[in-house]
């Protein structure tokens, strides 16, 4: 620009200089307008797409290849089996969504495997493009704003609402996930309540095992956070409780054959049965069979090929087959990862050959703490036996890289963008954790000994307590967990057990773990003990409450004795002659 001005002046090209300067000014202004237009549209597009960071789109079902996790085929998002037998329940949920005057929150409850997550996703799909609908991933501060910018009614599904959380410091797991959602929704509704027609309609569907436990816990947490005015959102919420569908023999046989064919096609295994091979016999059935039971039976038949058994396979056999297939997947993926690192000159590339059990231990460690927090918990994996003998920095580096590898196995996506863990449904996660920790008792102690704060083990406490409901052997692992963590313990297992459908199945194991508590231990915290007792329900957990009450009485008695001893010592010193 300066050079053009100098040239124009020296050559006395005044007219040309004027036109050039004017052209440059006009061009600059046009360029500025275009840049501002692009930036405005980019910001608008970013706001419109912000909802994708909040909700997991139920329409993005991914075809599962044989090399990926077989548990994808049992997940509600990726199941290849057509949706059946829930027409009345789906219609009821649609009426709740589309009727303007209905309560904005609903509870969807039922036992594990009964189909809660599947029907919720089918509801989201059925609402179509006129709605913004999906499962909540992480409740950002402005999640309602991200949904409102689309100008459409929204359905927000919170799966496992009784365990969803991210490193809560106090209280229960719902405190860091469900309570903020309800608070923001209550603020959004304002004084007019849910009947206001000036705001985009929002529906919040909370999925949990036990509706009464969720209502009780959420109401308590709202009161603790001084947000009791929003208790009506959960206390007045209608509930739909799912039971296993009642099917006659012919329908059950048809559903089983359909599931085997769908699983076989998804696996793309030429050796597996076709639509007719080995499928003429009756379905393996039993009273009260859930959709998950039937689909898991069909998946094992598809994996093994040939006709299925006449009688239902025991759950342990099904879980063992699926987990063994999963282990092979982990080992193959780990070998590829190690080979790639070896080509890049990574110093730990040979670690896999020296420790063939490393992939399973890594995945186990990640499952202990929840797939949302892999970066927070990767350093805990340095406590694995495979990293023994390394410096702390080197062990943390290697564990972080292997945690990154494990995160990449989550269906090829970042776990921060997914609402479900690697192994699902949860009954298989519970079985895998229980059997592995029973087989290697020292492994749990090694993983817990890395020195994290007790609050980071809330996810594990939830998993172990919930496993106790259908796996009695999980109680022994829960007892060891409580015993290991009692001095950094802030009530995780107590709160988790209070949310169970059958808290009495976890109660004796928690009490047994706490029984060895020694108030003279240097890590003992009086405040923690009394806070845990306060959070323990004597009706739900009577054994644990009586034990904690006795421990608190013992501490109070010791304190009174110490105070009396100090007073006697003070009186003795006063009676002694001076000088």
């Amino acid at each position: 620009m300066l050079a053009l001005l100098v040239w124009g002046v020296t050559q006395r090209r005044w007219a040309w200089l004027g036109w050039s300067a004017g052209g440059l000014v006009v061009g600059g202004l046009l360029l500025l307008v275009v840049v501002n237009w692009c930036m405005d549209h980019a910001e608008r597009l970013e706001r419109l797409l912000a909802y994708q960071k909040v909700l997991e789109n139920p329409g993005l079902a991914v075809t599962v290849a044989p090399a990926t996790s077989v548990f994808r085929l049992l997940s509600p998002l990726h199941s290849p089996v057509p949706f059946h037998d829930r027409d009345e329940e789906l219609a009821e949920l649609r009426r709740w969504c589309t009727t303007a005057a209905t309560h904005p929150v609903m509870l969807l409850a039922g036992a594990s495997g009964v189909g809660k997550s599947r029907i919720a996703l089918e509801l989201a799909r059925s609402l179509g493009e006129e709605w913004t609908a999906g499962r909540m991933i992480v409740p950002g501060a402005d999640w309602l704003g991200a949904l409102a910018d689309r100008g459409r009614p929204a359905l927000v599904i919170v799966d496992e609402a009784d365990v969803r959380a991210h490193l809560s410091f106090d209280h229960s797991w719902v405190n860091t996930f469900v309570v903020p959602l309800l608070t923001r929704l209550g603020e959004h509704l304002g004084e007019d309540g849910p009947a206001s027609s000036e705001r985009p309609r929002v529906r919040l569907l909370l999925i949990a095992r036990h509706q009464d436990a969720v209502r009780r816990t959420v109401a308590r947490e709202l009161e603790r956070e001084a947000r009791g005015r929003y208790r009506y959102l959960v206390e007045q919420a209608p509930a739909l409780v799912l039971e296993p569908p009642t099917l006659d023999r012919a329908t059950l046989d048809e559903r089983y054959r359909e599931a085997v064919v769908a699983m076989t096609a998804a696996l793309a295994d030429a050796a597996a049965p076709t639509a007719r091979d080995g499928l003429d016999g009756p379905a393996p059935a039993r009273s009260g069979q859930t959709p998950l039971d039937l689909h898991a039976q069909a998946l094992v038949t598809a994996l093994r090929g040939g006709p299925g058994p006449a009688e239902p396979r025991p759950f342990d056999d099904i879980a063992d087959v699926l987990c063994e297939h999963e282990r092979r997947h982990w080992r193959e993926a780990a070998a590829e990862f190690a080979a790639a690192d070896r080509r890049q000159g990574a110093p730990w590339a040979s670690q896999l050959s020296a420790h063939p059990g490393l992939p399973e231990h890594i995945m186990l460690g990640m499952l202990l703490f929840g797939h949302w927090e892999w970066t927070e918990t990767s350093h805990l994996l340095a406590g694995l036996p495979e990293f023994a003998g390394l410096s702390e920095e080197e062990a943390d580096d290697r564990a972080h890289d292997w945690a990154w590898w494990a995160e990449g196995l989550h269906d090829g996506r970042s776990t921060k963008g997914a609402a479900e863990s690697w192994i699902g449904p949860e009954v298989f996660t519970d079985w895998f954790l229980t059997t592995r920790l029973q087989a290697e008792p020292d492994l749990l102690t090694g993983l817990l000994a890395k020195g994290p704060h007790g609050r980071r083990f809330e996810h594990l406490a939830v998993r172990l307590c919930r496993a106790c409901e259908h796996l009695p052997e999980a109680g022994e692992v829960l007892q060891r967990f409580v015993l290991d963590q009692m001095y950094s313990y802030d009530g995780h297992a107590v709160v988790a057990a209070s949310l169970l459908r059958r808290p009495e199945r976890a109660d004796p194991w928690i009490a047994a773990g706490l029984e060895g508590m020694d108030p003279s231990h240097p890590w003992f915290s009086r405040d923690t003990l009394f806070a845990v007792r306060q959070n323990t329900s004597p009706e739900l957990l009577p054994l644990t409450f009586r034990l904690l009450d006795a421990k608190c009485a013992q501490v109070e008695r010791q304190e009174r004795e110490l105070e009396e001893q100090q007073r006697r010592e003070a009186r003795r010193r006063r009676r002694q002659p001076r000088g």
Side-chain angles (χ1 to χ4, degrees):
M1 181 69 180
L2 181 61
L4 287 174
L5 289 174
V6 172
W7 178 82
V9 171
T10 55
Q11 300 297 321
R12 298 178 181 275
R13 303 290 181 91
W14 306 112
W16 182 90
L17 184 63
W19 281 104
S20 298
L24 288 171
V25 171
V26 172
L29 292 175
L30 289 175
L31 180 61
L32 183 61
V33 170
V34 170
V35 169
N36 286 334
W37 182 86
C38 291
M39 292 181 63
D40 289 341
H41 278 68
E43 291 177 359
R44 182 172 180 271
L45 181 62
E46 184 178 356
R47 288 197 304 271
L48 288 175
L49 296 179
Y51 80 99
Q52 295 180 350
K53 299 178 181 179
V54 175
L55 298 185
E56 185 176 33
N57 187 346
L60 298 178
V62 179
T63 301
V64 180
T68 61
S69 169
V70 292
F71 288 108
R72 296 291 93 186
L73 294 174
L74 295 176
S75 76
L77 186 62
H78 304 289
S79 175
V81 182
F83 178 74
H84 291 299
D85 308 317
R86 293 293 191 188
D87 294 340
E88 294 182 5
E89 294 89 340
L90 184 59
E92 181 177 345
L93 290 170
R94 282 184 57 85
R95 283 194 297 271
W96 165 68
C97 281
T98 56
T99 304
T102 54
H103 195 74
V105 180
M106 177 176 270
L107 302 178
L108 182 59
S112 179
V114 80
K116 303 184 297 296
S117 300
R118 181 68 187 270
I119 194 174
L121 291 176
E122 293 299 332
L123 170 65
R125 293 184 178 116
S126 71
L127 293 173
E129 292 298 322
E130 293 78 17
W131 281 67
T132 301
R135 288 194 295 189
M136 174 68 75
I137 302 170
V138 176
D142 193 28
W143 64 274
L144 267 173
L147 298 178
D149 280 344
R150 302 198 79 204
R152 303 175 183 180
L155 169 66
V156 178
I157 301 167
V158 180
D159 211 344
E160 291 195 330
D162 44 359
V163 298
R164 296 300 299 275
H166 294 263
L167 295 182
S168 62
F169 288 88
D170 297 300
H171 313 318
S172 75
W173 294 264
V174 299
N175 189 57
T176 57
F177 202 100
V178 178
V179 166
L181 287 175
L182 292 174
T183 300
R184 187 69 183 89
L185 180 60
E187 295 170 349
H188 170 74
L189 296 172
E191 297 297 329
D192 297 330
S196 175
S197 60
E198 298 180 0
R199 304 174 180 85
R201 186 162 66 249
V202 177
R203 294 289 180 261
L204 185 61
L205 183 62
L206 304 179
I207 302 176
R209 286 190 179 187
H210 196 280
Q211 58 154 323
D212 292 337
V214 171
R215 292 185 201 272
R216 179 178 59 247
T217 304
V218 172
R220 183 182 68 237
E221 297 302 328
L222 285 168
E223 288 290 351
R224 286 183 175 180
E225 296 295 319
R227 298 166 183 171
R229 61 187 179 278
Y230 302 127
R231 287 181 55 172
Y232 78 95
L233 288 173
V234 67
E235 291 178 339
Q236 300 176 17
L240 176 60
V241 181
L242 295 184
E243 299 292 344
T246 303
L247 305 177
D248 57 40
R249 187 71 217 188
T251 304
L252 184 62
D253 293 344
E254 180 184 350
R255 296 287 181 263
Y256 175 71
R257 287 193 291 268
E258 184 181 52
V260 173
V261 173
M263 296 296 183
T264 301
L267 290 169
D269 187 351
T274 63
R276 300 303 307 171
D277 292 340
L279 295 179
D280 293 328
R286 66 173 183 268
S287 176
Q289 191 172 43
T290 67
L292 174 61
D293 292 330
L294 191 68
H295 295 169
Q297 296 274 355
L299 177 55
V300 172
T301 298
L303 286 169
R304 288 185 166 180
E311 296 295 326
R313 292 182 175 92
F315 173 76
D316 286 352
D317 292 350
I318 293 175
D320 190 55
V321 170
L322 298 182
C323 284
E324 182 54 39
H325 195 284
E326 189 72 6
R327 289 186 188 97
R328 289 199 299 269
H329 169 48
W330 295 346
R331 293 173 190 138
E332 291 168 1
E336 294 176 2
F337 175 70
D341 281 348
R342 187 178 295 110
R343 289 192 296 270
Q344 298 172 9
W348 54 88
S350 61
Q351 189 176 26
L352 187 61
S353 59
H355 301 283
L358 178 63
E360 187 171 356
H361 284 175
I362 293 291
M363 298 301 289
L364 176 65
M366 295 292 285
L367 286 168
L368 289 176
F369 305 105
H371 72 283
W372 301 291
E373 302 296 341
W374 75 275
T375 53
E376 292 290 335
T377 60
S378 63
H379 75 281
L380 299 178
L381 301 177
L384 288 169
E386 286 84 349
F387 302 131
L390 301 176
S391 67
E392 183 176 356
E393 182 178 359
E394 188 177 18
D396 284 341
D397 286 344
R398 296 188 187 185
H400 180 86
D401 287 330
W402 279 106
W404 178 85
W405 160 79
E407 184 265 354
L409 288 183
H410 187 70
D411 203 27
R413 300 175 299 172
S414 168
T415 58
K416 293 181 179 179
E420 58 190 15
S421 62
W422 298 284
I423 295 182
E426 62 180 17
V427 291
F428 294 105
T429 305
D430 298 342
W431 184 88
F432 178 73
L433 286 173
T434 299
T435 54
R436 293 308 304 135
L437 294 177
Q438 278 188 316
E440 299 185 63
D442 294 338
L443 188 60
L444 178 64
T445 302
L447 285 165
L448 299 182
K450 184 61 176 167
H453 298 293
R455 63 184 177 84
R456 291 187 174 175
F457 294 110
E458 59 184 6
H459 179 84
L460 176 56
V462 171
R463 288 264 61 93
L464 294 177
C465 285
R466 287 163 76 100
C468 287
E469 287 198 305
H470 51 87
L471 296 171
E473 57 271 25
E476 298 176 4
V477 183
L478 175 61
Q479 178 182 348
R480 293 208 317 271
F481 164 75
V482 175
L483 186 64
D484 267 329
Q485 289 299 302
M486 65 171 58
Y487 296 111
S488 60
Y489 182 75
D490 55 358
H492 297 326
V494 164
V495 177
S498 300
L499 284 165
L500 296 178
R501 293 170 62 88
R502 300 179 180 88
E504 69 276 4
R505 297 194 177 182
D507 184 25
W509 301 105
I510 297 174
L514 290 172
E515 193 170 6
M517 179 179 290
D518 180 9
S520 64
H521 193 284
W523 287 2
F524 173 77
S525 170
R526 177 192 186 280
D527 293 341
T528 294
L529 176 63
F530 281 78
V532 174
R533 184 189 63 171
Q534 183 179 1
N535 288 335
T536 303
S537 167
E539 293 81 18
L540 299 177
L541 304 171
L543 297 178
T544 301
F545 180 83
R546 285 200 296 269
L547 176 72
L548 290 170
D549 195 51
K551 294 288 185 182
C552 289
Q554 178 186 359
V555 170
E556 290 175 332
R557 185 169 57 253
Q558 291 174 345
E559 289 176 345
R560 288 194 299 269
E561 292 174 355
L562 179 60
E563 290 175 358
E564 181 60 28
Q565 180 181 354
Q566 290 173 343
R567 283 195 293 270
R568 288 197 300 268
E569 182 65 24
R571 288 195 297 268
R572 186 185 64 79
R573 286 197 299 267
R574 286 196 297 269
R575 288 195 298 267
Q576 289 179 350
R578 296 183 180 181

